Amino acid sequence: PSEVIEQWKEEQAIQLVRQWLSQAENKTWLLIFDNYDDLSLPGIRSSSTGYDVRNVFPYSTQGSILITTRSSRITFAKSVRLNKFNDLNQSLAVLARRSDVDAKKLAERFDGFLLALATAGDYISQTADSFGEYLQMYEQSWDELAENSDGLIEYDNRTLYTTWNLSLKQVAAQDAQAVELFRLMGYLGNADLWYELSQSGAESAPDWLCDITKSKARFNKAMATLHSYSLIEAMPGHYSLHTCVHDWILGYLISKFDMALFGLAMHCIAQNVAWKSMPEYWVINSRLNHHALRIEHCQQREVVDWNDIDMDDIYRIGYLDSMMGRLKEAEAMYIRALEGYEKAGVAEHTSTLDTVNNLAVLYFDQGKMAEAEEMYMRALDGYEKAWGPDHTSTLATVNNLGLLYADQSRLVEAENAYQRALKGYEINLGLYDERAREVLAAFLGLGIASHRTLGRRPEQNFATNIDEAEVGFISEQHVEAIYNK
């Protein structure tokens, strides 16, 4: 058959070349194996077509061999890793086949990724499009851009898109669950990925995520497979994706919005959100911040059915947004969560009341005093029914109302709220509890304000049921001592 003859001819040609390179007089040759990505080595088999490149090495070692590959698992040669361009001018040099005001924007967007820069430069050199028009297509029409981009001659007719497709197919042949995890990363941030981020969301998750997070060793194995084809980067304590790879996942790999995967990403983020009462809450939530920004990016591009998202997850994301100062985004999340709780018929549930209370705090921070008061009163009514008038959640809302009244110079109402909160904290927690001290500090400020506006002595606002009550007031110095205790 002709196929056998052709294979025999190819093998004969390889043997002749190997013999010639091994001759003693031939000492200054350089043999290049470009794009060796289809590996078949001990313990590694990318696909049915994979091969061991060492089988075609010359018999002697008198020359030099250069292998270019996306795989990080070749250990029989010295490895020199090619990183992204850190100098913007280097990126511009790849792009600048003609001048354009948007070339810098495009170079910055690709963050020094050489293949992305080369693909863009080649495309633009063959069309009438500007760099700005290419950037717009890149951000809005990945699939069309990928289908209509010719391969690069210097990259064996590959493009940015076909290279990653090939790599992912090879990953799938080794670990199909790693591909699913990679797709999930499209809805997460790209700069900081770690085991617990996925593991915390595995409860009630698809089987593949439960399996891949059943142990850190299994998770690391999946990530190592992705890393071996340069799809992710591994750093001490976390993993990351290059911006272009991240863009490719949502723009091309997941060509249609995957509601289930989006919801799973939200669940993973939400289950890691730390409350202010938890140790190192700020460190944890700061790591989650760019993941929440990715959620915001996705919902701006797609129509999200919030009925398919767990309301507690929405609430937690709102809490994270609020802590990070994204008040508008937090308000939208809280309102969605509140609507979901009300639809579910749990209007008086503590989750609903916490959402109402946090929404009130958010309105207060935005200066929306009428809306804040309405939400505080609703939360207060609910807490009183659910927990009673002296529960700490009830008292916290009473104290918040005092702050709101004081901010509006409604000093009598503020004093009444502080008196009630302070009395409740004294009974439940003791005068020296942190929350009681906070009320006392607010009381001190209110007393000074009352002195200025109502003509009352500051200390007249601080009558309590502790030992000093027999003299009818607590001095400013005593309040200060308690607060600093």
Side-chain angles (χ1 to χ4, degrees):
S2 58
E3 293 85 359
V4 175
I5 295 173
E6 289 300 321
Q7 183 178 355
W8 178 82
K9 288 181 178 179
E10 182 178 312
E11 291 174 355
Q12 288 297 308
I14 290 172
Q15 293 305 320
L16 289 173
V17 172
R18 295 176 72 188
Q19 291 170 8
W20 186 87
L21 293 174
S22 302
Q23 292 175 9
E25 63 271 20
N26 297 328
K27 297 181 179 180
T28 57
W29 50 261
L30 172 63
L31 182 60
I32 300 175
F33 294 92
D34 196 21
N35 290 320
Y36 177 50
D37 297 331
D38 199 2
L39 284 62
S40 180
L41 301 170
I44 309 170
R45 186 164 181 82
S46 301
S47 68
S48 60
T49 59
Y51 63 98
D52 188 342
V53 71
R54 294 174 297 180
N55 292 334
V56 294
F57 280 4
Y59 301 110
S60 64
T61 57
Q62 58 202 25
S64 300
I65 298 175
L66 176 64
I67 301 172
T68 68
T69 178
R70 291 175 57 78
S71 176
S72 61
R73 301 183 68 182
I74 296 177
T75 58
F76 55 78
K78 181 181 178 181
S79 176
V80 179
R81 184 171 184 81
L82 299 180
N83 296 315
K84 67 179 184 179
F85 288 151
N86 292 318
D87 185 345
L88 183 62
N89 290 325
Q90 293 176 315
S91 297
L92 288 171
V94 177
L95 286 174
R97 303 190 182 188
R98 66 170 183 262
S99 179
D100 191 291
V101 293
D102 290 317
K104 185 177 180 181
K105 291 181 181 178
L106 187 60
E108 290 173 341
R109 184 69 175 82
F110 287 164
D111 191 27
F113 197 86
L114 180 56
L115 186 52
L117 293 163
T119 299
D122 187 74
Y123 180 93
I124 292 168
S125 70
Q126 300 176 48
T127 68
D129 287 348
S130 66
F131 287 102
E133 289 169 326
Y134 184 90
L135 181 58
Q136 184 177 3
M137 283 191 293
Y138 175 86
E139 293 181 335
Q140 299 178 3
S141 308
W142 256 86
D143 51 350
E144 292 182 11
L145 189 59
E147 290 173 5
N148 294 285
S149 293
D150 293 330
L152 298 168
I153 296 175
E154 58 267 43
Y155 285 94
D156 192 25
N157 207 37
R158 294 186 189 183
T159 65
L160 176 71
Y161 324 105
T162 57
T163 298
W164 287 331
N165 276 332
L166 176 61
S167 296
L168 202 61
K169 284 179 182 178
Q170 292 168 341
V171 170
Q174 298 176 52
D175 189 345
Q177 292 180 341
V179 176
E180 293 302 316
L181 181 62
F182 184 68
R183 293 176 73 246
L184 175 63
M185 294 176 195
Y187 291 112
L188 296 170
N190 68 309
D192 188 6
L193 300 155
W194 67 100
Y195 169 64
E196 290 78 11
L197 177 63
S198 301
Q199 190 269 339
S200 297
E203 184 182 356
S204 303
D207 291 342
W208 67 264
L209 185 60
C210 294
D211 184 74
I212 216 168
T213 58
K214 65 183 179 183
S215 69
K216 194 169 186 179
R218 172 67 185 99
F219 176 81
N220 285 340
K221 180 183 178 183
M223 297 299 273
T225 303
L226 292 167
H227 177 258
S228 68
Y229 290 96
S230 301
L231 291 170
I232 66 170
E233 297 292 329
M235 285 157 283
H238 70 282
Y239 300 91
S240 67
L241 295 85
H242 189 277
T243 301
C244 292
V245 178
H246 203 217
D247 292 338
W248 174 70
I249 299 175
L250 278 193
Y252 188 76
L253 185 60
I254 308 175
S255 57
K256 293 183 180 179
F257 182 61
D258 191 325
M259 186 64 212
L261 212 54
F262 175 80
L264 182 58
M266 278 199 66
H267 186 61
C268 289
I269 299 167
Q271 292 306 304
N272 281 275
V273 172
W275 311 117
K276 285 186 178 180
S277 58
M278 298 171 65
E280 297 187 337
Y281 73 90
W282 184 257
V283 175
I284 297 169
N285 290 340
S286 294
R287 292 188 76 181
L288 294 172
N289 185 37
H290 76 289
H291 295 295
L293 290 173
R294 186 65 167 180
I295 292 296
E296 180 65 24
H297 168 77
C298 292
Q299 71 181 40
Q300 288 176 355
R301 290 166 46 119
E302 308 290 349
V303 178
V304 177
D305 185 354
W306 295 103
N307 294 318
D308 289 344
I309 307 293
D310 188 295
M311 293 304 109
D312 288 341
D313 290 343
I314 297 175
Y315 169 75
R316 285 168 173 263
I317 297 294
Y319 182 87
L320 177 63
D321 284 335
S322 177
M323 186 175 291
M324 294 296 115
R326 293 190 297 276
L327 303 187
K328 181 180 178 181
E329 292 80 1
E331 179 181 350
M333 286 294 181
Y334 280 147
I335 290 174
R336 290 182 188 116
L338 185 57
E339 290 173 349
Y341 289 134
E342 290 172 340
K343 277 185 183 179
V346 288
E348 302 303 324
H349 191 273
T350 52
S351 296
T352 310
L353 299 175
D354 289 344
T355 305
V356 172
N357 183 73
N358 285 0
L359 194 53
V361 173
L362 200 66
Y363 285 142
F364 180 84
D365 290 341
Q366 293 175 303
K368 301 177 180 178
M369 296 305 179
E371 293 90 338
E373 183 174 359
E374 180 184 352
M375 290 292 109
Y376 277 139
M377 294 304 296
R378 177 177 169 180
L380 179 59
D381 182 63
Y383 283 133
E384 287 177 334
K385 291 178 181 177
W387 298 107
D390 295 321
H391 190 272
T392 53
S393 295
T394 307
L395 298 173
T397 303
V398 171
N399 184 46
N400 286 341
L401 270 170
L403 293 170
L404 183 142
Y405 292 145
D407 191 77
Q408 296 177 299
S409 297
R410 296 159 61 180
L411 302 184
V412 174
E413 293 168 281
E415 180 179 352
N416 291 336
Y418 286 144
Q419 287 279 14
R420 176 181 169 182
L422 181 58
K423 182 178 179 181
Y425 280 136
E426 288 175 11
I427 294 172
N428 291 331
L429 305 171
L431 182 61
Y432 293 108
D433 183 82
E434 181 180 355
R435 280 164 286 190
R437 285 159 48 200
E438 288 175 354
V439 176
L440 281 170
F443 238 155
L444 176 59
L446 179 65
I448 295 172
S450 298
H451 172 64
R452 290 172 180 167
T453 58
L454 302 178
R456 299 167 58 185
R457 289 190 305 160
E459 56 265 27
Q460 286 179 316
N461 291 307
F462 302 113
T464 67
N465 60 359
I466 62 174
D467 293 342
E468 286 80 354
E470 61 186 62
V471 298
F473 63 87
I474 303 176
S475 68
E476 291 184 28
Q477 291 79 10
H478 182 71
V479 174
E480 188 70 21
I482 291 174
Y483 185 69
N484 292 325
K485 187 176 178 64

